[in-house]
Amino acid sequence: MSTAVPELGTGIGYREPIHEIATDPGLVEWVEVISEHYMGATGKRESIDSLLERIPGIPVVPHGIEMSIGSVGDDSRWDAYLEELAAVVEGFDAPWFSDHLCFTRTSTAELGTLLPLPRTRESARHVARRARRAVERVGRPFLLENIAYHFSWGDELTEAQFVTEIVEASGCHLLLDLTNLTYNARNHGFDALDFIREIPYERVVQVHLAGGVEEEGTYFDTHSMPVPEPVWELLGALLEFHPVPAVMLERDQRLDRTEEIATDLRRATELRRTTDPRRTTDPRRTTDPRHATAPRRKG
């Protein structure tokens, strides 16, 4: 079982219309693909080989949308899913794999969306057990991603406490979606930087960046626009705490805006290159958010 986590640098979600950007070594060092696109049907191994031929030498990380790690009563289906996922991860020789901290189905129905879990200790223990099982079966480090959500269940734990209990009980890593975090904080009235301080941020292996739209005061994560300034500020603060191994741009719409996309990729690389991690200072001891929001620059 591989447990090493390499530094990948700046990446992008691979989409065919932006193939030239995804294979430009001046912009992109690795790509993320949707795990399920390579699962479940005859010829999927050929699809993996075909992509690897088109992007030679570029690391590929599978990112899932249908694991539904929080579901209950689906153990046999879930084990079958892990079997297929393990083949995808092995096929790409991926350094890690990831999916969302959510549920997408019940024992009787597909829900078709990423839904937040009840934030209880019982739910945290359930997710931790399944995360450990995923790592055992797939044999690579596993990252859980925070989702954007528009409601919660009247929860026992805060989101930061819930994430922390899962990570500490499972040993898994985190994919921190800073856009989701920024706008969850706005939509639900908490401080995004406090959230980072309260979770085991040293377990963050990958970051997602994206831009969306706001309608009637609510943000929607459409992956269609440039990364907004508050998200860049939060990335700078996080990089001061912890040198994140991989930062990735999500872009699924308006893919013809290639200069917009390239500009975001260059900015992510520059921020990673110039922000000096404050390795000797524990940001959990900082009570004033203003002490951590301005990235310090190297050299």
Side-chain angles (χ1 to χ4, degrees):
M1 178 185 297
S2 173
T3 58
V5 176
E7 181 172 342
L8 293 188
T10 302
I12 195 167
Y14 184 84
R15 304 292 182 267
E16 185 62 33
I18 54 171
H19 175 81
E20 289 189 10
I21 289 177
T23 54
D24 183 340
L27 294 173
V28 171
E29 297 167 276
W30 64 282
V31 299
E32 183 183 86
V33 298
I34 302 301
S35 305
E36 289 80 8
H37 290 177
Y38 301 89
M39 295 167 62
T42 302
K44 292 302 184 181
R45 175 68 233 196
E46 288 76 9
S47 297
I48 292 174
D49 292 341
S50 175
L51 179 59
L52 292 175
E53 288 173 3
R54 298 201 67 211
I55 55 170
I58 299 176
V60 179
V61 172
H63 177 58
I65 56 176
E66 296 178 12
M67 177 183 282
S68 196
I69 195 166
S71 290
V72 296
D74 68 340
D75 289 350
S76 60
R77 177 175 178 176
W78 200 69
D79 284 341
Y81 177 94
L82 291 182
E83 290 290 325
E84 293 186 22
L85 178 59
V88 172
V89 173
E90 180 65 27
F92 282 121
D93 191 22
W96 60 76
F97 66 104
S98 62
D99 209 300
H100 301 83
L101 180 55
C102 71
F103 71 105
T104 63
R105 61 179 174 269
T106 68
S107 59
T108 59
E110 294 290 341
L111 303 173
T113 191
L114 309 176
L115 291 174
L117 292 165
R119 293 195 293 263
T120 66
R121 289 188 167 85
E122 180 181 0
S123 179
R125 288 191 294 269
H126 173 69
V127 171
R129 284 193 299 269
R130 298 213 340 163
R132 290 194 300 269
R133 170 62 181 147
V135 172
E136 289 168 2
R137 179 60 195 89
V138 178
R140 307 289 169 95
F142 176 42
L143 281 56
L144 276 172
E145 179 183 7
N146 57 305
I147 66 167
Y149 57 91
H150 300 289
F151 71 93
S152 58
W153 301 93
D155 300 303
E156 175 185 352
L157 302 171
T158 67
E159 186 178 1
Q161 290 169 337
F162 187 59
V163 168
T164 298
E165 292 211 2
I166 292 168
V167 170
E168 290 180 348
S170 69
C172 70
H173 299 270
L174 292 172
L175 192 176
L176 188 59
D177 189 311
L178 291 179
T179 304
N180 288 349
L181 174 57
T182 297
Y183 289 98
N184 283 343
R186 176 187 292 186
N187 292 342
H188 301 288
F190 65 89
D191 186 280
L193 194 57
D194 283 347
F195 176 95
I196 294 176
R197 291 194 188 102
E198 291 166 12
I199 65 172
Y201 60 81
E202 64 278 2
R203 302 293 290 178
V204 175
V205 166
Q206 182 183 333
V207 159
H208 273 173
L209 309 171
V213 297
E214 193 162 344
E215 297 178 2
E216 298 181 354
T218 298
Y219 176 83
F220 295 92
D221 189 28
T222 58
H223 302 174
S224 61
M225 302 295 288
V227 177
E229 199 60 33
V231 177
W232 289 118
E233 293 172 1
L234 199 58
L235 176 61
L238 172 62
L239 290 172
E240 284 201 336
F241 301 166
H242 169 59
V244 179
V247 174
M248 199 209 89
L249 178 67
E250 295 185 288
R251 188 69 179 244
D252 294 320
Q253 300 180 44
R254 300 172 75 244
L255 296 175
D256 58 328
R257 307 298 180 94
T258 54
E259 190 51 43
E260 275 185 7
I261 296 169
T263 296
D264 276 350
L265 289 166
R266 293 188 190 101
R267 186 168 181 181
T269 297
E270 180 68 8
L271 200 53
R272 289 187 72 254
R273 186 184 68 81
T274 59
T275 303
D276 185 14
R278 191 165 39 203
R279 298 170 190 259
T280 59
T281 301
D282 185 350
R284 297 183 182 95
R285 297 180 181 176
T286 303
T287 57
D288 185 346
R290 292 171 298 179
H291 293 170
T293 54
R296 294 186 301 147
R297 302 293 180 177
K298 293 179 181 176

